[in-house]
Amino acid sequence: MGKPTLFLTVGLPCTGKTTAARRIEIERKALRLTKDEWVKALYGPENPPLAGDVIEGRLIQIGLRALALGTNVVIDYGLWDRNERSALRQAAVDLGATAELCYFALTPSAQRRRRDQRQAEAPHTTWPMSDAELVEWATRMDIPTPGELDGSEPLDGPPAGFTTWDEWRSHRWPPSVH
């Protein structure tokens, strides 16, 4: 049995992350942790940002425990920030696992078509997203570099003010809603 793998889906909404995560779940026998499913189950039509951060953190804890037990894991949410990806890649390394980034990008028109289709066919799985929100979110996306995607780029150190990625992770993904 080889090292377990942490698959990280990276991309904006409606770019195919969950579709790919479901495929990885089956093909690679991975525990799939999809944030939107949990937020929908707990909050229905609401999408409270701080609760989303806590849910992400809890799913990461579950995922890292599964990795430690030798199970492949796919984290299925945007991971727009390079620091998020670096923290999770380092956690995988610390557990003796590997990490693979799966980046999804679409043209804005294709992204809007997918959003409209999802809203029409499965509105219970998503939240309304305006064109303006999609444009604004695209400005906040740290697009992975080729070296980050293929693993050839060394991991970044934690941001200023943090001595370890574990410390940064617990700050970024709080343990509870305040």
Side-chain angles (χ1 to χ4, degrees):
M1 189 166 144
K3 291 181 177 184
T5 301
L6 177 64
F7 297 93
L8 304 174
T9 62
V10 179
L12 293 167
C14 306
T15 55
K17 295 179 308 295
T18 299
T19 299
R22 287 181 177 132
R23 188 184 70 250
I24 292 167
E25 173 184 32
I26 292 165
E27 292 175 359
R28 301 294 300 270
K29 296 180 175 52
L31 173 64
R32 179 176 56 88
L33 300 169
T34 300
K35 172 187 150 187
D36 288 354
E37 292 174 357
W38 286 78
V39 174
K40 277 289 188 184
L42 294 170
Y43 294 97
E46 303 300 316
N47 190 7
L50 186 55
D53 290 346
V54 172
I55 290 169
E56 286 181 12
R58 294 295 173 149
L59 293 177
I60 288 166
Q61 289 176 341
I62 293 166
L64 296 179
R65 179 66 182 136
L67 271 182
L69 295 171
T71 301
N72 292 332
V73 174
V74 57
I75 300 287
D76 176 25
Y77 32 96
L79 299 170
W80 300 349
D81 187 271
R82 182 179 171 112
N83 285 332
E84 294 172 336
R85 299 186 303 264
S86 294
L88 295 174
R89 288 172 60 209
Q90 183 64 60
V93 168
D94 291 347
L95 292 170
T98 60
E100 285 185 29
L101 270 64
C102 306
Y103 175 55
F104 301 88
L106 290 175
T107 64
S109 61
Q111 184 186 22
R112 286 191 304 276
R113 275 193 307 276
R114 288 177 61 95
R115 176 212 49 205
D116 294 346
Q117 181 179 4
R118 182 189 304 171
Q119 198 62 55
E121 294 175 2
H124 62 283
T125 67
T126 190
W127 294 271
M129 292 175 253
S130 70
D131 289 352
E133 286 173 314
L134 294 177
V135 168
E136 193 270 322
W137 293 334
T139 67
R140 296 182 9 211
M141 175 78 188
D142 288 334
I143 295 172
T145 63
E148 186 183 7
L149 288 170
D150 69 16
S152 65
E153 213 171 274
L155 278 168
D156 300 328
F162 298 94
T163 55
T164 67
W165 278 118
D166 281 341
E167 181 185 352
W168 184 88
R169 242 184 21 250
S170 65
H171 171 78
R172 166 60 186 90
W173 291 292
S176 62
V177 177
H178 304 303

